Structures are given as structure tokens and as C-alpha cells.
Amino acid sequence: MKHVLLVLPPEAEETKAVDFAVAEAAKRGESLVSIALLDADIAARVSTTLANVGFVGEKVCGNVADTLAREQRVHAEQALERVAAAAHAQNVAFVGRVEEGELDEVCGRIAVDCEIDLVVLATERRSLLGRFLARSAAVRLPSLAGCEVKLIEG
């Protein structure tokens, strides 16, 4: 059975993408697989920056990094709960999971493992240049995943 894959990067507003992905899965008679993608480096970058400017010491940096990582995971799990509720409301089978890694690598792997025929990527609102750069990154997805990719801007 084929599936629709919904990808929720950490910075994206997911509402429009969720609605689109659920509607597509229902229309195609497919289930919805959703991943909430974590930025593994964000906690380290923030705590390093705080330490570099002398705002906090090493011990506090470690605590800040751990707290940010936990908060990011909680946010991702809450996003998946919202997707599950939307899918359930439309009688669409749903599987969600939190993943860590690079967008194109994670999507490519899951698209092959789960027989995905459509990837829906939630993106944040961006400037014209930001849209161009985001789309250029997404251009790699079809070749890795071997399927259609839709970018849905929040």
C-alpha cells in the first residue's frame, strides 16, 4: 500500500500542510505517515553562543542544551498529536514519528522504506530569496524519494 508522507521541520507552521496532506491521503485512499524533524544541532548552537558572549558558564550551557532538546522533542510530539487528530477526523490511517537528521536524507530513507508516493513538506513563510533556497533544497527530494514532492508554505 502506498502512503502520503508529511514532513514537519522544527521551524514550520504546520496547519496548511496538515490539511493538505490529510485531504490528499483521504482522496487517494492512502494512509498518512508523518515525521516531525528535529534539528539536532540547535541546542548546541544556542548554548555555545550563550557561552561565547559570556552570558552563561559551561555547566549552565549543558543544562540549556538539554532543556532545549527536550522542549524541541515535546513540541514535535505535540505537532504529531495534532496531525493524528486531523487524520482521525477524516478517517485516515496515521503513523507518526519523531526523526533527527538532515531533511533530504530522512525523507529519502522513509520514502523508500514506507512506499511513499507523495511527500508534503511544511515550510515557513519566507522572503523571495528564502523561497528560492528552500525550493532548491527540496529539488533533491524527488530524486532521493522517487516520488512527487509538494511544498506547503505556512
Side-chain angles (χ1 to χ4, degrees), residues 29-139:
E30 298 177 351
S31 62
L32 178 64
V33 176
S34 182
I35 58 170
L37 198 59
L38 300 180
D39 182 348
D41 299 329
I42 194 166
R45 286 194 311 265
V46 169
S47 62
T48 299
T49 300
L50 290 173
N52 287 345
V53 296
F55 190 70
V56 295
E58 249 182 70
K59 182 177 180 185
V60 173
C61 279
N63 292 341
V64 168
D66 292 344
T67 300
L68 288 173
R70 275 194 311 274
E71 285 299 315
Q72 187 181 28
R73 183 165 290 278
V74 166
H75 177 74
E77 290 168 353
Q78 289 170 343
L80 289 175
E81 288 172 7
R82 289 189 296 273
V83 177
H88 180 72
Q90 296 296 319
N91 294 319
V92 171
F94 172 77
V95 174
R97 57 198 215 199
V98 177
E99 292 280 337
E100 212 172 283
E102 293 298 319
L103 173 69
D104 52 354
E105 293 171 8
V106 171
C107 287
R109 178 176 42 82
I110 290 175
V112 171
D113 291 349
C114 297
E115 298 183 50
I116 301 297
D117 64 349
L118 171 65
V119 175
V120 177
L121 176 60
T123 64
E124 64 182 330
R125 291 193 176 190
R126 298 173 185 225
S127 66
L128 186 58
L129 177 60
R131 276 190 227 130
F132 172 75
L133 294 174
R135 291 193 196 291
S136 67
V139 166

